[in-house]
Amino acid sequence: MKQISLGRALHPKDLNSIVTDERKGHLPEKIIQFGEGNFLRGFIDWMVHEMNKQGVFNGKVVAIQPTPHGKVVPKLNAQDGLYTLTLRGVVNGEKVDKHEIISSISRGINPYSDWQKVLKVAESKEIEFVFSNTTEAGLTYLEESYDGETSPLSFPGKLAAFLKHRYEVMGEVEGSGLTIIPCELVESNGDVLKSLVLRYAAEWGFSKKCVEWIEGQNRFCNTLVDRIVTGYPRDNADEFREKLGYEDVLMTVGEPYHLFAIEAGENIAARLPFTQAGLNVKWGDVTPHRNMKVRLLNGPHTMMFAVCYLAGTDTVLEAMTDTDLREFVEKGLYQEILPFVQMEEGEKREFADSVVERFLNPFTKHYLHDIGMNAVYKFKSRLIPSLLDFVKDRNELPAAITYSLAALIFYYKPFRVEGDFLIGKRGETEYVIRDNQAVLSLFKTKWDQLLEEEVELKEFISSILKNSNLWGMDLRKLPRLEDEVSFHLGQMLTVGMKQSNKQLLQKIKK
């Protein structure tokens, strides 16, 4: 098969029939985007591409390199802003494996070598929106100065300087303000970004009128994003190259499912017609969607990781193809978590069903060990609210969530210490227990006391459950939780995880 590069040399006639090529030339640049990584290209830029295909937006994206050592912009420009997005997964029980060339990016800019080009974008009357994804670390304060000639290092600093230049050139004319939509996974991300921009504006001595313009004429939106984008398929790049018939160094792979919640009104929704293009975008209060995602997606992830990993599976997919483990996961999801999510019944049920399909995605390797990083905090934020709601409503303990708490404690059982980490052991396989030092130190001390028979099992469990620094409360206050967790952990230590799982499922079915 002829190997060609994606870019100027690529024409539709060269494409394999499984790839669609929807280029829209000569569209104005309406969006400046801070970040050019896999997630934005597989999420926001794909959405813009979908709107352009249907003729409801008709605008392009200028992608700004977020860090000094980025390598995407030169590749992006070499390919005329084009790249292949592959969406692979299961939708309504049907396997999806779709490839498409995305044409929504007009160009990339390296601000560290071409800051004046970025400022030139700020002068454009066509620019209406700012999107970003600079990771959670990007929405933090970095003490730095600004001279007007070179790019600030931080993303909020860049945005502050960008807005200052726009104000100085355009003033307060109608349309000078921008709609700013961050996609970083930080709660109240729009509010956080706004506070950081205003902090830089104050420290860098922006005029009072400029600050008032930033606050009054620019809209910072809180958001929630949800799509797994795994990026360039390094493990099977040759397979994709053969399948597509061309080389694309910026190809990125993601799942079909997507959810984008934006805290904004109808006026912005009309200018960004995502829903008109058939995309799963929710406008309005983000909080219900955030709570639904945390409880119905992140909650089951945390609930299953230790149970399924210690039972011998390594990925979410492996766990879901095991009959007993899948029954455990679905019991917790549908019977213990779903009923207490504050969302319209049909919408939350549809989301829960989509979670199961995502867990069954045959193309995604989501390692349980990775989900187990900082698992104590994740249990506190993702599962304890469901645990408390269940107890309050039913006056009994949720079996799967309670069992998962015992499994988490078992997962934190140290086999040995290596540097700053604890090393656990599953059969003959060792694994790294990753958490902050305070949590690791506490679990090591408590497990040492139990293994050296300084305390009984129930006393060991009591000392862990009472620690409000771990769980945000004294969990012993929940009736019978101490007894149930002690019983489950005793079974795990005595008969092993697989047999303990079977006993739990037999109990649940009675």
Side-chain angles (χ1 to χ4, degrees):
M1 179 177 291
K2 180 184 177 184
Q3 299 299 306
I4 57 178
S5 294
L6 184 59
R8 291 183 177 83
L10 178 63
H11 300 283
K13 64 181 178 62
D14 297 312
L15 295 174
N16 188 298
S17 61
I18 60 171
V19 179
T20 61
D21 181 27
E22 297 285 351
R23 296 189 225 182
K24 299 281 185 176
H26 310 297
L27 297 179
E29 295 175 338
K30 293 185 179 182
I31 296 170
I32 183 166
Q33 175 178 289
F34 291 88
E36 20 65 322
N38 289 309
F39 178 79
L40 283 175
R41 286 186 284 114
F43 190 74
I44 293 298
D45 301 329
W46 165 76
M47 288 185 173
V48 175
H49 176 78
E50 289 295 314
M51 291 191 295
N52 287 342
K53 280 167 58 178
Q54 298 179 44
V56 296
F57 181 69
N58 298 324
K60 291 272 193 172
V61 177
V62 182
I64 309 301
Q65 179 177 309
T67 61
H69 306 295
K71 299 179 180 179
V72 173
V73 162
K75 298 174 183 177
L76 197 59
N77 289 333
Q79 296 188 172
D80 290 345
L82 302 174
Y83 60 93
T84 310
L85 174 65
T86 294
L87 299 179
R88 314 182 91 187
V90 178
V91 178
N92 298 325
E94 297 293 325
K95 189 178 290 188
V96 173
D97 190 3
K98 178 185 177 183
H99 313 267
E100 185 165 14
I101 294 175
I102 307 301
S103 60
S104 56
I105 297 178
S106 61
R107 55 182 168 139
I109 301 176
N110 178 350
Y112 305 99
S113 60
D114 293 307
W115 179 238
Q116 296 307 311
K117 287 185 179 180
V118 177
L119 295 183
K120 195 66 178 175
V121 176
E123 300 174 10
S124 170
K125 293 179 181 179
E126 304 281 1
I127 292 291
E128 299 181 55
F129 305 99
V130 178
F131 285 91
S132 69
N133 186 30
T134 56
T135 77
E136 292 91 327
L139 289 193
T140 55
Y141 175 73
L142 173 68
E143 186 173 350
E144 57 180 327
S145 59
Y146 178 57
D147 60 13
E149 298 299 321
T150 58
S151 172
L153 186 59
S154 69
F155 159 54
K158 290 186 187 71
L159 181 57
F162 182 89
L163 293 174
K164 176 179 183 289
H165 187 76
R166 185 173 178 86
Y167 174 77
E168 290 173 343
V169 172
M170 299 182 67
E172 299 181 18
V173 300
E174 184 178 351
S176 60
L178 301 175
T179 300
I180 299 158
I181 306 177
C183 298
E184 288 82 0
L185 291 174
V186 174
E187 190 168 354
S188 301
N189 49 13
D191 295 336
V192 171
L193 178 56
K194 182 176 182 178
S195 68
L196 289 167
V197 167
L198 292 174
R199 180 175 180 179
Y200 282 112
E203 292 183 359
W204 292 346
F206 290 10
S207 71
K208 181 180 178 182
K209 284 189 173 296
C210 179
V211 172
E212 290 174 349
W213 175 82
I214 290 174
E215 285 198 87
Q217 299 300 316
N218 296 271
R219 174 68 187 269
F220 291 77
C221 304
N222 294 323
T223 69
L224 171 72
V225 299
D226 187 9
R227 169 176 265 178
I228 296 172
V229 179
T230 56
Y232 186 78
R234 289 181 176 81
D235 292 343
N236 50 352
D238 291 342
E239 172 194 333
F240 276 101
R241 189 181 302 112
E242 180 70 19
K243 189 175 186 180
L244 299 176
Y246 58 84
E247 175 79 24
D248 181 359
V249 296
L250 289 179
M251 179 179 183
T252 190
V253 179
E255 63 174 344
Y257 178 85
H258 68 284
L259 168 66
F260 195 13
I262 308 172
E263 211 161 87
E266 293 181 2
N267 60 329
I268 295 176
R271 290 161 50 214
L272 272 176
F274 290 127
T275 51
Q276 189 178 337
L279 299 167
N280 188 25
V281 177
K282 311 293 184 181
W283 296 93
D285 186 6
V286 169
T287 305
H289 299 285
R290 179 178 296 280
N291 291 340
M292 182 172 69
K293 174 181 180 286
V294 169
R295 290 214 185 188
L296 295 179
L297 174 65
N298 304 124
H301 265 152
T302 299
M303 183 186 70
M304 73 188 298
F305 95 91
V307 172
C308 299
Y309 181 80
L310 295 175
T313 60
D314 291 321
T315 67
V316 170
L317 178 61
E318 287 178 26
M320 292 297 287
T321 53
D322 180 290
T323 302
D324 289 344
L325 295 178
R326 178 170 177 174
E327 185 177 348
F328 165 79
V329 172
E330 293 187 344
K331 157 72 177 176
L333 171 61
Y334 287 107
Q335 298 181 32
E336 299 179 6
I337 301 175
L338 180 67
F340 307 104
V341 173
Q342 300 302 308
M343 180 67 79
E344 189 273 325
E345 194 66 35
E347 185 170 359
K348 68 181 184 181
R349 178 73 191 206
E350 182 180 352
F351 187 84
D353 291 344
S354 76
V355 166
V356 173
E357 282 197 328
R358 295 168 77 182
F359 285 2
L360 288 167
N361 189 340
F363 302 108
T364 300
K365 283 189 176 181
H366 201 169
Y367 289 98
L368 297 166
H369 181 232
D370 289 337
I371 297 172
M373 183 185 297
N374 301 316
V376 171
Y377 173 79
K378 289 177 180 176
F379 194 97
K380 177 177 74 172
S381 60
R382 299 174 176 182
L383 285 173
I384 285 182
S386 296
L387 169 63
L388 296 177
D389 285 346
F390 191 98
V391 171
K392 181 179 180 181
D393 185 77
R394 308 283 174 85
N395 199 30
E396 61 178 321
L397 293 169
I401 295 176
T402 301
Y403 186 77
S404 75
L405 177 55
L408 184 155
I409 295 171
F410 190 21
Y411 182 87
Y412 275 66
K413 177 176 178 282
F415 172 67
R416 61 185 179 86
V417 178
E418 185 175 284
D420 294 332
F421 297 103
L422 302 181
I423 306 298
K425 196 170 185 180
R426 180 191 68 179
E428 298 302 313
T429 302
E430 293 187 352
Y431 59 90
V432 180
I433 304 169
R434 295 173 287 180
D435 214 312
N436 67 60
Q437 286 304 304
V439 171
L440 295 178
S441 177
L442 184 143
F443 272 94
K444 182 180 186 309
T445 298
K446 298 302 180 183
W447 271 107
D448 285 348
Q449 290 173 348
L450 179 66
L451 296 174
E452 293 170 11
E453 300 184 351
E454 296 176 10
V455 297
E456 298 293 329
L457 180 61
K458 189 171 181 179
E459 185 181 353
F460 164 74
I461 292 297
S462 178
S463 68
I464 292 175
L465 296 186
K466 75 177 183 181
N467 194 309
S468 59
N469 289 329
L470 296 180
W471 317 111
M473 63 175 292
D474 183 346
L475 288 178
R476 297 175 305 170
K477 295 179 179 179
L478 297 180
R480 291 195 50 77
L481 183 64
E482 192 176 339
D483 292 334
E484 286 294 304
V485 174
S486 298
F487 171 77
H488 289 314
L489 183 59
Q491 291 294 100
M492 294 171 190
L493 290 168
T494 304
V495 302
M497 184 60 76
K498 287 186 178 180
Q499 185 59 34
S500 177
N501 289 349
K502 289 184 180 296
Q503 292 175 0
L504 173 74
L505 291 173
Q506 290 171 359
K507 180 181 177 181
I508 290 173
K509 290 175 181 178
K510 288 183 181 179

